[in-house]
Amino acid sequence: GLQHQIRTFRSLSSVTADNNNNTTVVSLEDRCDIDTYAAMRPTPLSARILDRSIQPKEAAQFLQSEYPIRCAERIRMIESLSHCLDVSELLEVRERHIQSFLAMRRIASDNNFEYKEEEFVSVVNQILLYDEDTIPLMVKGFYQLSRLKPEEASDDSQFVNYFLDTFLLNRLGTEVLLKQYLAYVGIRGNVFERSCDLMAIGRQTAQSVQRLCVRETGFKPTIQLEATSVLEADKGGAPMVTCIPGALSFVLQEI
């Protein structure tokens, strides 16, 4: 039932790999490494960590120690799901996470981290590529789970929401760290902004939603935006906030 699933998820109990189910074969040493990192606490993200003034080497050192913790948590979360070995989409997400975890861990040997920018950028890009379609894979995976155990489907919605909220929030943290590192080395724009124009993001998001509606339905909805601020520092009364523009835009689009 629901409460049993939540207890299982919170304990993050591991599932033994089974070659008959095409699961990833993991050495005992690597399995112990994953379990060790899964038991650690991730560092909460802060403005200081995401500050553009941080040097690439410092950012890489933090990412090399932080990413495995968050990645290992998600591996154990997937493994805690009943019937996860019977769902190809969940196995695919698990395998990509294991490969990403090992790629990041193998940059450092015995905690002796020697920063080589080209190598580190390659690993970061590889991890981001592996993670591109994680959300649709997880959605399909949970749909397949509901078909495997239809008798429990009516009791699953609260657990599914709880699980995906936790899983995807964890994923967002690593995505921000990975992309911000690429900003530090000048490969992409900044992910984090200290002074972000809420109205500008709102307008861009509204236009994207209108284009999507026209493409899918042929109808263009009217979207009115209003914002006020009493702070003199804000431009023309539009609120200026510290935020991650991409994440904020996604939230607004969902609303």
Side-chain angles (χ1 to χ4, degrees):
L2 172 64
Q3 294 305 319
H4 172 72
Q5 287 179 310
I6 291 179
R7 284 196 300 272
T8 302
F9 164 54
R10 282 174 174 165
S11 66
L12 301 179
S13 57
S14 179
V15 173
T16 303
D18 182 351
N19 293 336
N20 294 326
N21 291 66
N22 296 319
T23 55
T24 301
V25 177
V26 182
S27 70
L28 179 60
E29 182 181 359
D30 288 338
R31 181 72 250 182
C32 290
D33 204 25
I34 291 171
D35 292 342
T36 297
Y37 273 87
M40 297 180 183
R41 292 282 185 178
T43 303
L45 298 186
S46 66
R48 189 198 69 79
I49 292 172
L50 298 175
D51 197 303
R52 187 67 181 270
S53 64
I54 293 178
Q55 295 301 308
K57 181 177 180 179
E58 181 184 355
Q61 288 173 326
F62 177 77
L63 188 54
Q64 182 271 332
S65 63
E66 182 68 18
Y67 176 82
I69 298 174
R70 295 170 181 265
C71 185
E73 280 187 329
R74 298 200 296 276
I75 293 170
R76 296 286 298 276
M77 288 165 66
I78 294 171
E79 292 175 344
S80 75
L81 295 169
S82 58
H83 302 289
C84 74
L85 297 179
D86 300 319
V87 179
S88 61
E89 290 85 0
L90 295 179
L91 285 178
E92 177 66 22
V93 174
R94 173 182 177 269
E95 179 167 349
R96 293 184 191 183
H97 274 69
I98 290 174
Q99 291 173 352
S100 296
F101 175 91
L102 296 178
M104 185 63 76
R105 286 290 293 137
R106 285 170 181 160
I107 292 179
S109 176
D110 298 325
N111 295 320
N112 182 22
F113 178 66
E114 181 181 355
Y115 179 61
K116 298 177 181 178
E117 185 171 298
E118 184 176 349
E119 178 185 3
F120 202 84
V121 166
S122 176
V123 170
V124 168
N125 280 325
Q126 174 188 323
I127 291 173
L128 287 171
L129 181 63
Y130 280 162
D131 194 47
E132 273 188 353
D133 56 349
T134 290
I135 293 178
L137 281 172
M138 291 297 291
V139 171
K140 291 177 183 177
F142 271 92
Y143 173 70
Q144 293 301 327
L145 277 181
S146 70
R147 296 185 65 186
L148 285 172
K149 46 177 186 174
E151 71 282 356
E152 300 180 26
S154 61
D155 191 38
D156 275 353
S157 60
Q158 183 181 346
F159 172 75
V160 170
N161 288 336
Y162 176 79
F163 184 98
L164 288 179
D165 280 350
T166 306
F167 185 94
L168 295 177
L169 183 61
N170 181 304
R171 173 183 176 270
L172 175 62
T174 55
E175 182 180 32
V176 168
L177 289 173
L178 291 164
K179 290 183 175 179
Q180 189 67 12
Y181 167 75
L182 295 180
Y184 295 143
V185 296
I187 293 177
R188 58 161 294 139
N190 211 27
V191 177
F192 170 79
E193 297 291 347
R194 285 189 174 276
S195 184
C196 192
D197 188 337
L198 278 183
M199 281 299 289
I201 294 177
R203 283 192 294 269
Q204 293 168 4
T205 304
Q207 291 167 1
S208 296
V209 169
Q210 288 174 326
R211 288 194 295 269
L212 177 63
C213 290
V214 170
R215 185 172 70 246
E216 297 296 327
T217 69
F219 173 73
K220 181 179 180 180
T222 299
I223 302 176
Q224 291 183 321
L225 300 174
E226 295 182 5
T228 57
S229 174
V230 297
L231 299 178
E232 293 183 1
D234 288 343
K235 301 174 181 178
M240 305 293 289
V241 298
T242 298
C243 72
I244 301 171
L248 177 58
S249 178
F250 179 80
V251 171
L252 292 175
Q253 184 169 332
E254 289 297 299
I255 293 173

